[in-house]
PDB file of all heavy atoms in Angstrom:
ATOM      1  N   GLU A 219     -16.724  -3.617  -1.664  1.00 59.00           N
ATOM      2  CA  GLU A 219     -16.835  -4.711  -2.626  1.00 59.00           C
ATOM      3  C   GLU A 219     -15.475  -5.358  -2.887  1.00 59.00           C
ATOM      4  O   GLU A 219     -15.387  -6.536  -3.173  1.00 59.00           O
ATOM      5  CB  GLU A 219     -17.403  -4.190  -3.950  1.00 59.00           C
ATOM      6  CG  GLU A 219     -18.872  -3.796  -3.834  1.00 59.00           C
ATOM      7  CD  GLU A 219     -19.398  -3.268  -5.152  1.00 59.00           C
ATOM      8  OE1 GLU A 219     -18.642  -3.271  -6.130  1.00 59.00           O
ATOM      9  OE2 GLU A 219     -20.563  -2.862  -5.192  1.00 59.00           O
ATOM     10  N   ASN A 220     -14.399  -4.571  -2.798  1.00 56.00           N
ATOM     11  CA  ASN A 220     -13.057  -5.085  -3.083  1.00 56.00           C
ATOM     12  C   ASN A 220     -12.325  -5.487  -1.805  1.00 56.00           C
ATOM     13  O   ASN A 220     -11.146  -5.764  -1.832  1.00 56.00           O
ATOM     14  CB  ASN A 220     -12.239  -4.018  -3.825  1.00 56.00           C
ATOM     15  CG  ASN A 220     -12.808  -3.735  -5.210  1.00 56.00           C
ATOM     16  OD1 ASN A 220     -13.429  -4.597  -5.808  1.00 56.00           O
ATOM     17  ND2 ASN A 220     -12.610  -2.529  -5.693  1.00 56.00           N
ATOM     18  N   ALA A 221     -13.026  -5.507  -0.666  1.00 59.00           N
ATOM     19  CA  ALA A 221     -12.389  -5.797   0.615  1.00 59.00           C
ATOM     20  C   ALA A 221     -12.367  -7.299   0.911  1.00 59.00           C
ATOM     21  O   ALA A 221     -12.019  -7.711   1.991  1.00 59.00           O
ATOM     22  CB  ALA A 221     -13.116  -5.063   1.729  1.00 59.00           C
ATOM     23  N   ARG A 222     -12.784  -8.110  -0.068  1.00 59.00           N
ATOM     24  CA  ARG A 222     -12.770  -9.563   0.135  1.00 59.00           C
ATOM     25  C   ARG A 222     -11.355 -10.128   0.015  1.00 59.00           C
ATOM     26  O   ARG A 222     -10.486  -9.486  -0.546  1.00 59.00           O
ATOM     27  CB  ARG A 222     -13.657 -10.223  -0.927  1.00 59.00           C
ATOM     28  CG  ARG A 222     -15.130  -9.961  -0.701  1.00 59.00           C
ATOM     29  CD  ARG A 222     -15.938 -10.745  -1.731  1.00 59.00           C
ATOM     30  NE  ARG A 222     -16.888  -9.862  -2.405  1.00 59.00           N
ATOM     31  CZ  ARG A 222     -16.916  -9.671  -3.713  1.00 59.00           C
ATOM     32  NH1 ARG A 222     -16.080 -10.279  -4.506  1.00 59.00           N
ATOM     33  NH2 ARG A 222     -17.799  -8.859  -4.234  1.00 59.00           N
ATOM     34  N   PRO A 223     -11.129 -11.341   0.516  1.00 61.00           N
ATOM     35  CA  PRO A 223      -9.825 -12.004   0.302  1.00 61.00           C
ATOM     36  C   PRO A 223      -9.548 -12.181  -1.183  1.00 61.00           C
ATOM     37  O   PRO A 223     -10.434 -12.002  -2.015  1.00 61.00           O
ATOM     38  CB  PRO A 223      -9.993 -13.378   0.980  1.00 61.00           C
ATOM     39  CG  PRO A 223     -11.091 -13.179   1.957  1.00 61.00           C
ATOM     40  CD  PRO A 223     -12.008 -12.124   1.360  1.00 61.00           C
ATOM     41  N   ARG A 224      -8.312 -12.553  -1.505  1.00 60.00           N
ATOM     42  CA  ARG A 224      -7.903 -12.675  -2.908  1.00 60.00           C
ATOM     43  C   ARG A 224      -8.839 -13.573  -3.718  1.00 60.00           C
ATOM     44  O   ARG A 224      -9.202 -14.664  -3.286  1.00 60.00           O
ATOM     45  CB  ARG A 224      -6.488 -13.268  -2.990  1.00 60.00           C
ATOM     46  CG  ARG A 224      -5.429 -12.238  -2.756  1.00 60.00           C
ATOM     47  CD  ARG A 224      -4.059 -12.872  -2.918  1.00 60.00           C
ATOM     48  NE  ARG A 224      -3.021 -11.876  -2.681  1.00 60.00           N
ATOM     49  CZ  ARG A 224      -2.530 -11.095  -3.635  1.00 60.00           C
ATOM     50  NH1 ARG A 224      -2.966 -11.203  -4.867  1.00 60.00           N
ATOM     51  NH2 ARG A 224      -1.606 -10.224  -3.350  1.00 60.00           N
ATOM     52  N   THR A 225      -9.191 -13.095  -4.885  1.00 61.00           N
ATOM     53  CA  THR A 225      -9.994 -13.890  -5.814  1.00 61.00           C
ATOM     54  C   THR A 225      -9.086 -14.376  -6.937  1.00 61.00           C
ATOM     55  O   THR A 225      -8.040 -13.777  -7.184  1.00 61.00           O
ATOM     56  CB  THR A 225     -11.145 -13.034  -6.396  1.00 61.00           C
ATOM     57  OG1 THR A 225     -10.582 -11.849  -6.956  1.00 61.00           O
ATOM     58  CG2 THR A 225     -12.140 -12.649  -5.330  1.00 61.00           C
ATOM     59  N   PRO A 226      -9.457 -15.450  -7.627  1.00 64.00           N
ATOM     60  CA  PRO A 226      -8.618 -15.995  -8.703  1.00 64.00           C
ATOM     61  C   PRO A 226      -8.295 -14.934  -9.760  1.00 64.00           C
ATOM     62  O   PRO A 226      -7.194 -14.905 -10.288  1.00 64.00           O
ATOM     63  CB  PRO A 226      -9.481 -17.099  -9.303  1.00 64.00           C
ATOM     64  CG  PRO A 226     -10.380 -17.506  -8.184  1.00 64.00           C
ATOM     65  CD  PRO A 226     -10.636 -16.248  -7.381  1.00 64.00           C
ATOM     66  N   ARG A 227      -9.264 -14.058 -10.082  1.00 68.00           N
ATOM     67  CA  ARG A 227      -9.033 -13.037 -11.112  1.00 68.00           C
ATOM     68  C   ARG A 227      -9.141 -11.661 -10.474  1.00 68.00           C
ATOM     69  O   ARG A 227     -10.171 -11.007 -10.567  1.00 68.00           O
ATOM     70  CB  ARG A 227     -10.054 -13.197 -12.240  1.00 68.00           C
ATOM     71  CG  ARG A 227      -9.960 -14.559 -12.913  1.00 68.00           C
ATOM     72  CD  ARG A 227     -10.904 -14.659 -14.083  1.00 68.00           C
ATOM     73  NE  ARG A 227     -10.497 -13.770 -15.166  1.00 68.00           N
ATOM     74  CZ  ARG A 227     -11.214 -13.567 -16.277  1.00 68.00           C
ATOM     75  NH1 ARG A 227     -12.368 -14.166 -16.437  1.00 68.00           N
ATOM     76  NH2 ARG A 227     -10.776 -12.759 -17.210  1.00 68.00           N
ATOM     77  N   GLU A 228      -8.070 -11.252  -9.807  1.00 63.00           N
ATOM     78  CA  GLU A 228      -8.059  -9.948  -9.148  1.00 63.00           C
ATOM     79  C   GLU A 228      -7.724  -8.859 -10.169  1.00 63.00           C
ATOM     80  O   GLU A 228      -6.826  -9.042 -10.986  1.00 63.00           O
ATOM     81  CB  GLU A 228      -7.008  -9.973  -8.038  1.00 63.00           C
ATOM     82  CG  GLU A 228      -7.251  -8.914  -6.979  1.00 63.00           C
ATOM     83  CD  GLU A 228      -6.264  -9.075  -5.836  1.00 63.00           C
ATOM     84  OE1 GLU A 228      -5.087  -8.777  -6.031  1.00 63.00           O
ATOM     85  OE2 GLU A 228      -6.687  -9.504  -4.750  1.00 63.00           O
ATOM     86  N   PRO A 229      -8.432  -7.745 -10.119  1.00 71.00           N
ATOM     87  CA  PRO A 229      -8.145  -6.665 -11.075  1.00 71.00           C
ATOM     88  C   PRO A 229      -6.747  -6.096 -10.865  1.00 71.00           C
ATOM     89  O   PRO A 229      -6.272  -6.021  -9.736  1.00 71.00           O
ATOM     90  CB  PRO A 229      -9.217  -5.607 -10.742  1.00 71.00           C
ATOM     91  CG  PRO A 229      -9.697  -5.939  -9.362  1.00 71.00           C
ATOM     92  CD  PRO A 229      -9.533  -7.430  -9.217  1.00 71.00           C
ATOM     93  N   PRO A 230      -6.064  -5.699 -11.943  1.00 73.00           N
ATOM     94  CA  PRO A 230      -4.692  -5.166 -11.840  1.00 73.00           C
ATOM     95  C   PRO A 230      -4.611  -3.948 -10.928  1.00 73.00           C
ATOM     96  O   PRO A 230      -3.602  -3.712 -10.288  1.00 73.00           O
ATOM     97  CB  PRO A 230      -4.355  -4.766 -13.280  1.00 73.00           C
ATOM     98  CG  PRO A 230      -5.283  -5.561 -14.134  1.00 73.00           C
ATOM     99  CD  PRO A 230      -6.524  -5.757 -13.312  1.00 73.00           C
ATOM    100  N   MET A 231      -5.684  -3.165 -10.860  1.00 77.00           N
ATOM    101  CA  MET A 231      -5.674  -1.947 -10.040  1.00 77.00           C
ATOM    102  C   MET A 231      -5.448  -2.275  -8.571  1.00 77.00           C
ATOM    103  O   MET A 231      -4.843  -1.493  -7.847  1.00 77.00           O
ATOM    104  CB  MET A 231      -7.001  -1.190 -10.202  1.00 77.00           C
ATOM    105  CG  MET A 231      -7.118  -0.519 -11.565  1.00 77.00           C
ATOM    106  SD  MET A 231      -5.789   0.660 -11.894  1.00 77.00           S
ATOM    107  CE  MET A 231      -6.125   1.878 -10.633  1.00 77.00           C
ATOM    108  N   ALA A 232      -5.915  -3.431  -8.116  1.00 80.00           N
ATOM    109  CA  ALA A 232      -5.723  -3.819  -6.720  1.00 80.00           C
ATOM    110  C   ALA A 232      -4.237  -4.014  -6.443  1.00 80.00           C
ATOM    111  O   ALA A 232      -3.725  -3.604  -5.400  1.00 80.00           O
ATOM    112  CB  ALA A 232      -6.497  -5.102  -6.419  1.00 80.00           C
ATOM    113  N   ASP A 233      -3.534  -4.632  -7.380  1.00 87.00           N
ATOM    114  CA  ASP A 233      -2.087  -4.836  -7.243  1.00 87.00           C
ATOM    115  C   ASP A 233      -1.365  -3.493  -7.223  1.00 87.00           C
ATOM    116  O   ASP A 233      -0.492  -3.254  -6.408  1.00 87.00           O
ATOM    117  CB  ASP A 233      -1.587  -5.677  -8.418  1.00 87.00           C
ATOM    118  CG  ASP A 233      -0.689  -6.813  -7.957  1.00 87.00           C
ATOM    119  OD1 ASP A 233      -0.756  -7.182  -6.773  1.00 87.00           O
ATOM    120  OD2 ASP A 233       0.080  -7.325  -8.780  1.00 87.00           O
ATOM    121  N   LEU A 234      -1.769  -2.606  -8.131  1.00 90.00           N
ATOM    122  CA  LEU A 234      -1.155  -1.282  -8.216  1.00 90.00           C
ATOM    123  C   LEU A 234      -1.382  -0.503  -6.928  1.00 90.00           C
ATOM    124  O   LEU A 234      -0.459   0.116  -6.391  1.00 90.00           O
ATOM    125  CB  LEU A 234      -1.740  -0.517  -9.403  1.00 90.00           C
ATOM    126  CG  LEU A 234      -1.142   0.872  -9.642  1.00 90.00           C
ATOM    127  CD1 LEU A 234       0.342   0.744  -9.998  1.00 90.00           C
ATOM    128  CD2 LEU A 234      -1.886   1.586 -10.757  1.00 90.00           C
ATOM    129  N   ALA A 235      -2.612  -0.555  -6.410  1.00 92.00           N
ATOM    130  CA  ALA A 235      -2.935   0.156  -5.169  1.00 92.00           C
ATOM    131  C   ALA A 235      -2.093  -0.385  -4.016  1.00 92.00           C
ATOM    132  O   ALA A 235      -1.628   0.379  -3.167  1.00 92.00           O
ATOM    133  CB  ALA A 235      -4.420   0.007  -4.860  1.00 92.00           C
ATOM    134  N   PHE A 236      -1.878  -1.700  -3.982  1.00 93.00           N
ATOM    135  CA  PHE A 236      -1.067  -2.309  -2.919  1.00 93.00           C
ATOM    136  C   PHE A 236       0.369  -1.804  -2.984  1.00 93.00           C
ATOM    137  O   PHE A 236       0.962  -1.451  -1.962  1.00 93.00           O
ATOM    138  CB  PHE A 236      -1.108  -3.834  -3.061  1.00 93.00           C
ATOM    139  CG  PHE A 236      -0.211  -4.532  -2.066  1.00 93.00           C
ATOM    140  CD1 PHE A 236      -0.598  -4.639  -0.743  1.00 93.00           C
ATOM    141  CD2 PHE A 236       1.003  -5.067  -2.461  1.00 93.00           C
ATOM    142  CE1 PHE A 236       0.222  -5.277   0.177  1.00 93.00           C
ATOM    143  CE2 PHE A 236       1.828  -5.703  -1.551  1.00 93.00           C
ATOM    144  CZ  PHE A 236       1.423  -5.809  -0.223  1.00 93.00           C
TER     145      PHE A 236
END
Side-chain angles (χ1 to χ4, degrees):
E219 290 179 3
N220 294 333
R222 289 185 231 122
R224 279 183 180 272
T225 54
R227 300 184 68 186
E228 202 174 72
M231 288 301 295
D233 227 20
L234 182 64
F236 176 76

